[in-house]
Amino acid sequence: MSLWREEMMMQDLERDSAAGKRNAGYPGLRGEPVAPAVPSIPRVATFEIVPDGAIEGRTDEPHPEMPTPQHQPAQQQQQQQQQWQPENAKVGLWIVDTRKWYPSVTTSKQLETHAARALKLIPPSTKPKILRYYHPRDAKMALASALLKQYAVARLHGIPWSRTRGNIRSDGLHKPTYVDPETGEQPVEFNVSHQAGVVVMVAVAGYRAPPEADLGLGGGRTGGGLPDVEVGVDVVCTSESRERDRAALRKVEGWAKHVDTFADVMAPGEVEFLKRRLPEELEQRKGMSVTAKDDLKLRYFYAFWALREAYVKMTGEALGAPWLAELEFRGVRPSQPMEVWEVKPGEDDDEAEGEEGIAPYEVVHDMEIWFKGERLRDVNMSLRSVGQDYMIATAVRTPSNREAAMRWRLGPYVELTLENILDFAEASG
C-alpha cells in the first residue's frame, strides 16, 4: 500500500484489501475449474517443489510424515494423501495495471457508465463504495481489487463466477474471506495490495496440513486452530512521491527525519541500518551523484516497508500490532530495477542472466527474518521488481506443517488485462 495514500482511502475498502482469515478446514479442491476455457486468459502459476535448487515437477509420493490409518479404504487413504501433499497446492500470482483502464475517465462517477460491464460482475453493495472515491485512480484500483478476489476464487476453486458474488465478506477481524455457501468452508486463501495504479494478488488453494498437525501437534483448522496456509503481499512504487521525497531528503537531517517518521512501525535494528550504516556505505561509493544516492536510500526504505507489510498482512494483523518492533528483517537489499515492465510467465528467475551476469530483473530471497531475538525459518518470502519503479513482496507460511511452504517457489507474477478478467467472468457463468 502507499505510505501516504493509505490514510486517504476509506476505512471499509482499506480493510477489504487485506488477507482472508481462516476459521474452518476444507477438504481440498474438487477438481479443475468448471468454467469454459478462455484462450486469452494467462495460465495460473503454481507452486513447484525445489529440492536442492532444481525445479522439479509434481510427484505422486505421499507426504513423508503423513499417517495412513489402516482401517481406511485404500482409495480414501490415497485421496487424503493427495490433499496433504504441498505440491498439490495451486497458487495464483497476478498483477493488474489499472493505469491502462478507462483512459477517458476524469471522475469516479463516470465509471458508472464506462465500467458498467465490470461493475455488473461485483456485488451491488461494493459498487457505491468504489464510486465514492474522489480520485478515479483509486476507484479503478478498488474495482480491480474486487474483481481479482472473485477471479481468484472462481479460477482456483473451480466454481462459476456467479457463486462468488456476495460470498466474499469480512470475518471477525474485518478481513475479506470467501465462504462456500454449500459447504461453509473457506477453500481459497488470498491477499491483495495496490499502489500507484497497480494491483497485485497472491491466492492459494488445494493445500491442507497433514493430519498429525490436527491430532498430534495441536495445529490445523480443526485441532489447535492454526490455519493451513497464510499469505501476504505488498506492492510499493518508488517513484510515486519521488520529487517530494527528494526535496525532503535535501533538508538538514532530511534522511534521518524521514526514517524517524516511520520508526514506530520498524525494528530498532532496521532504523539503525537505514539511518547510519546505509549512508556510511553509500559514502564509500565514488562517482555516485547525491541524487542517485538518495534514490537508492529510498529504494532500500521501500524494500523494508514492503517486506514488513507483506509479513504483517500474512499474519492477519495490522501495522498497529504491538509486536512490530520485535519483527526485524536483516540482510535486506532491494531488488534491481527492470528495464522493461513485462515478466514472461514461467521464466526461471535464477537463469535470467544479462550482461556481466546481472539479471535484467532480480528476485531477492536471502533476507533473514527475526522475531523476538530468534530467527524464523518457516516463512517463505521474496522481493521482486516489476519495471523500474515497482517492487512486490510476497509471504507464505504453513503454520501446521512448517516445511511445506518453504519448498514452494513464489513467482513469477502473471499480468492480467481487464479483458482477461471480464472474459473469464462472463464465460464461467
Side-chain angles (χ1 to χ4, degrees):
M1 294 296 296
S2 166
L3 304 181
W4 300 276
R5 182 173 300 160
E6 183 177 8
E7 298 177 359
M8 302 167 55
M9 296 294 209
M10 293 187 301
Q11 186 66 26
D12 53 354
L13 280 184
E14 194 59 39
R15 290 196 306 260
D16 196 41
S17 68
K21 202 67 178 177
R22 305 70 39 215
N23 294 322
Y26 62 93
L29 293 180
R30 293 174 172 78
E32 294 301 315
V34 297
V38 179
S40 62
I41 305 277
R43 65 171 179 81
V44 177
T46 57
F47 286 136
E48 296 176 291
I49 303 304
V50 191
D52 300 326
I55 304 300
E56 298 289 342
R58 294 185 175 183
T59 174
D60 293 326
E61 293 298 320
H63 190 281
E65 298 181 358
M66 182 177 58
T68 53
Q70 298 300 316
H71 66 276
Q72 292 183 336
Q75 183 177 4
Q76 182 178 354
Q77 292 181 19
Q78 183 178 6
Q79 290 175 348
Q80 291 183 347
Q81 290 172 353
Q82 292 175 352
Q83 291 173 7
W84 299 324
Q85 292 173 20
E87 56 267 39
N88 279 344
K90 292 184 178 181
V91 60
L93 295 163
W94 295 296
I95 182 170
V96 175
D97 186 357
T98 67
R99 296 172 298 176
K100 305 173 185 178
W101 290 17
Y102 313 113
S104 62
V105 166
T106 57
T107 68
S108 297
K109 185 64 176 177
Q110 291 175 343
L111 288 173
E112 192 166 15
T113 301
H114 290 261
R117 182 184 172 197
L119 290 170
K120 185 171 62 176
L121 297 170
I122 64 176
S125 61
T126 305
K127 177 180 174 180
K129 299 177 183 178
I130 292 173
L131 297 178
R132 282 204 301 267
Y133 278 105
Y134 180 79
H135 295 290
R137 62 177 180 266
D138 296 330
K140 288 189 285 186
M141 287 191 293
L143 175 59
S145 177
L147 290 170
L148 270 177
K149 293 166 192 169
Q150 293 179 249
Y151 179 91
V153 173
R155 185 80 187 251
L156 296 183
H157 190 35
I159 61 174
W161 187 278
S162 58
R163 281 184 57 188
T164 69
R165 293 186 65 192
N167 294 310
I168 297 177
R169 51 184 180 268
S170 296
D171 66 359
L173 294 178
H174 306 291
K175 304 299 172 66
T177 183
Y178 170 76
V179 179
D180 191 306
E182 296 183 359
T183 65
E185 297 164 353
Q186 299 173 27
V188 182
E189 193 70 25
F190 57 84
N191 192 226
V192 184
S193 177
H194 46 81
Q195 185 182 1
V198 169
V199 183
V200 297
M201 164 172 276
V202 55
V204 179
Y207 172 75
R208 189 178 184 183
E212 67 269 20
D214 282 332
L215 301 178
L217 302 180
R221 294 174 182 248
T222 58
L226 292 178
D228 292 327
V229 183
E230 294 177 315
V231 299
V233 67
D234 191 58
V235 59
V236 292
C237 178
T238 61
S239 64
E240 185 179 31
S241 302
R242 177 170 290 162
E243 293 307 315
R244 183 174 65 180
D245 290 342
R246 286 174 174 173
L249 265 57
R250 294 189 193 106
K251 299 178 181 179
V252 177
E253 297 295 324
W255 174 243
K257 185 176 180 179
H258 175 80
V259 175
D260 285 340
T261 301
F262 304 95
D264 289 345
V265 293
M266 304 184 79
E270 296 170 342
V271 173
E272 192 270 343
F273 170 81
L274 289 171
K275 289 179 64 175
R276 186 181 64 82
R277 285 188 287 155
L278 178 59
E280 289 177 356
E281 179 182 324
L282 293 180
E283 283 300 316
Q284 305 303 316
R285 300 192 182 187
K286 305 301 181 182
M288 192 175 187
S289 69
V290 173
T291 298
K293 290 179 180 180
D294 285 346
D295 286 349
L296 186 53
K297 290 177 185 177
L298 289 167
R299 193 169 184 88
Y300 265 91
F301 171 81
Y302 279 108
F304 274 103
W305 186 272
L307 290 168
R308 292 184 63 84
E309 181 120 342
Y311 181 95
V312 171
K313 291 172 70 178
M314 177 194 68
T315 68
E317 297 282 349
L319 283 181
W323 43 262
L324 287 180
E326 298 178 285
L327 171 67
E328 181 180 356
F329 284 85
R330 301 180 185 176
V332 171
R333 54 191 171 93
S335 50
Q336 296 179 6
M338 294 171 55
E339 292 298 325
V340 295
W341 169 264
E342 290 80 12
V343 179
K344 295 180 181 179
E347 186 174 356
D348 188 340
D349 303 332
D350 297 327
E351 296 179 0
E353 295 289 328
E355 295 182 0
E356 299 180 354
I358 300 176
Y361 69 96
E362 185 183 11
V363 183
V364 178
H365 299 280
D366 57 358
M367 73 289 291
E368 296 181 1
I369 310 170
W370 290 73
F371 187 66
K372 296 185 177 181
E374 295 185 6
R375 185 177 177 182
L376 302 183
R377 301 181 184 274
D378 64 342
V379 182
N380 189 352
M381 294 201 70
S382 68
L383 180 70
R384 68 172 58 234
S385 294
V386 178
Q388 296 187 13
D389 301 322
Y390 292 88
M391 290 186 289
I392 304 173
T394 312
V396 179
R397 176 168 63 184
T398 46
S400 300
N401 183 25
R402 296 182 178 182
E403 293 78 11
M406 300 307 296
R407 298 168 62 194
W408 289 339
R409 182 180 179 86
L410 305 180
Y413 277 73
V414 175
E415 184 170 9
L416 291 174
T417 67
L418 177 60
E419 288 300 315
N420 289 153
I421 300 173
L422 300 185
D423 287 347
F424 175 85
E426 292 167 350
S428 70

